[in-house]
Amino acid sequence: MSLLSRNKQPTLVIKTNAANNEQKERFDVLPSVVVGKVPYLHSMALYRHYLACVLLRDRDNLQSTEPVFEPFLAHFPQLLEMPDLTDLLLERWDLKLKSKSRTDRRDVEVLVNTLVSTFTEWIYPLMHAHLPTYKAGYPNSIKKRAELISAFKIKGEQKNTGLAAMLDPSIEYEPFDMKELSFSVNGPQCIAAV
């Protein structure tokens, strides 16, 4: 990529590659213009597939405007703005997919479920940890984030689950927000007072 030419006018050169058949199928669910890293596109396509399933297929009433509790759907767009966490998600997801059979790796539902479980296990806790804000071009912030993510990853690998790393006292987390889980006190779960 060249930003400066001989006449000192800024230019931007963009290289495009032709997609293979498997990639074309994935990219069909994406918008016509997507700005992002190529390795993230598969997870973006699965996110959009899952979003469509939750909003259209899995709802009882399509006219309902009730909020849907789904941490993956709520946090995935924010995750794409943090390349360090997105890379961790793709790395952990790839490890989980290696244990699946070839037919399972081609099944979209299995891919989505594996991506969601990997996000819940490894990324969701880190998104609520006291990590410095990701700022590109600020090496101190990026280094501190990398140290905390690495510590979380090491603790998680020792226990074979990212959720076990949440018990590590060296990582602080934000307090639990009750707005993420809401249920009506007068709802059907409650026992009526006699």
Side-chain angles (χ1 to χ4, degrees), residues 38-57:
V38 173
Y40 300 172
L41 293 179
H42 189 200
S43 59
M44 287 182 203
L46 292 174
Y47 167 78
R48 288 180 56 97
H49 175 82
Y50 187 62
L51 178 65
C53 288
V54 168
L55 294 180
L56 299 174
R57 185 184 70 188

Side-chain angles (χ1 to χ4, degrees), residues 25-95:
E25 289 176 12
R26 289 185 211 146
F27 300 160
D28 282 344
V29 297
L30 292 173
S32 59
V33 177
V34 177
V35 178
K37 292 184 176 181
V38 173
Y40 300 172
L41 293 179
H42 189 200
S43 59
M44 287 182 203
L46 292 174
Y47 167 78
R48 288 180 56 97
H49 175 82
Y50 187 62
L51 178 65
C53 288
V54 168
L55 294 180
L56 299 174
R57 185 184 70 188
D58 299 339
R59 294 188 73 149
D60 295 333
N61 181 4
L62 293 178
Q63 303 300 322
S64 173
T65 58
E66 291 180 9
V68 175
F69 174 73
E70 189 57 57
F72 176 72
L73 294 178
H75 292 291
F76 189 80
Q78 298 166 5
L79 172 68
L80 293 174
E81 296 174 2
M82 299 177 244
D84 50 0
L85 291 181
T86 309
D87 291 339
L88 178 64
L89 173 68
L90 296 180
E91 174 191 327
R92 291 285 135 193
W93 183 48
D94 190 42
L95 284 173

Side-chain angles (χ1 to χ4, degrees), residues 71-135:
F72 176 72
L73 294 178
H75 292 291
F76 189 80
Q78 298 166 5
L79 172 68
L80 293 174
E81 296 174 2
M82 299 177 244
D84 50 0
L85 291 181
T86 309
D87 291 339
L88 178 64
L89 173 68
L90 296 180
E91 174 191 327
R92 291 285 135 193
W93 183 48
D94 190 42
L95 284 173
K96 280 190 175 188
L97 287 179
K98 286 181 181 176
S99 66
K100 306 279 185 196
S101 68
R102 178 176 274 182
T103 55
D104 283 347
R105 283 184 285 198
R106 292 186 180 183
D107 184 10
V108 174
E109 294 299 323
V110 171
L111 290 173
V112 167
N113 290 336
T114 308
L115 182 65
V116 171
S117 70
T118 305
F119 173 85
T120 305
E121 184 178 336
W122 288 94
I123 305 304
Y124 187 70
L126 281 171
M127 290 186 84
H128 293 292
H130 285 291
L131 293 174
T133 305
Y134 182 84
K135 296 178 184 173

